[in-house]
Amino acid sequence: MKSVAALLLVGMLILWTDLPAGNAWNCPIVRFTCAMVNPPNQCYIDQQCPQFKKCCKTFCGRKCISRPSSIPT
């Protein structure tokens, strides 16, 4: 019985460590890009953005964006 409890505890710890922290959404897909060779970037990593925003590739460069309000269909 102790081995079953230990196995369940290990399984729960593994699942808990895989949970996303904070920003659990992905950047939107960019279908078109600008023709600029080196577009300006406002950020490079999420930590450079204000709280609840992510650094995402946009049409022309990387920018801090807010979570989309709904999932497009």
Side-chain angles (χ1 to χ4, degrees):
M1 193 65 172
K2 288 183 181 180
S3 61
V4 173
L7 184 61
L8 286 173
L9 179 61
V10 170
M12 289 172 52
L13 287 173
I14 290 171
L15 290 174
W16 178 71
T17 58
D18 288 340
L19 292 175
N23 295 334
W25 56 279
N26 294 327
C27 294
I29 297 171
V30 178
R31 300 185 194 282
F32 303 99
T33 57
C34 64
M36 192 181 295
V37 177
N38 290 320
N41 293 312
Q42 294 179 354
C43 60
Y44 294 96
I45 58 173
D46 292 343
Q47 286 76 15
Q48 294 175 322
C49 297
Q51 190 175 14
F52 304 116
K53 289 192 176 190
K54 287 185 83 157
C55 183
C56 295
K57 183 177 179 184
T58 63
F59 170 71
C60 205
R62 297 182 68 84
K63 296 180 182 175
C64 294
I65 63 169
S66 299
R67 181 181 191 148
S69 57
S70 64
I71 299 172
T73 56

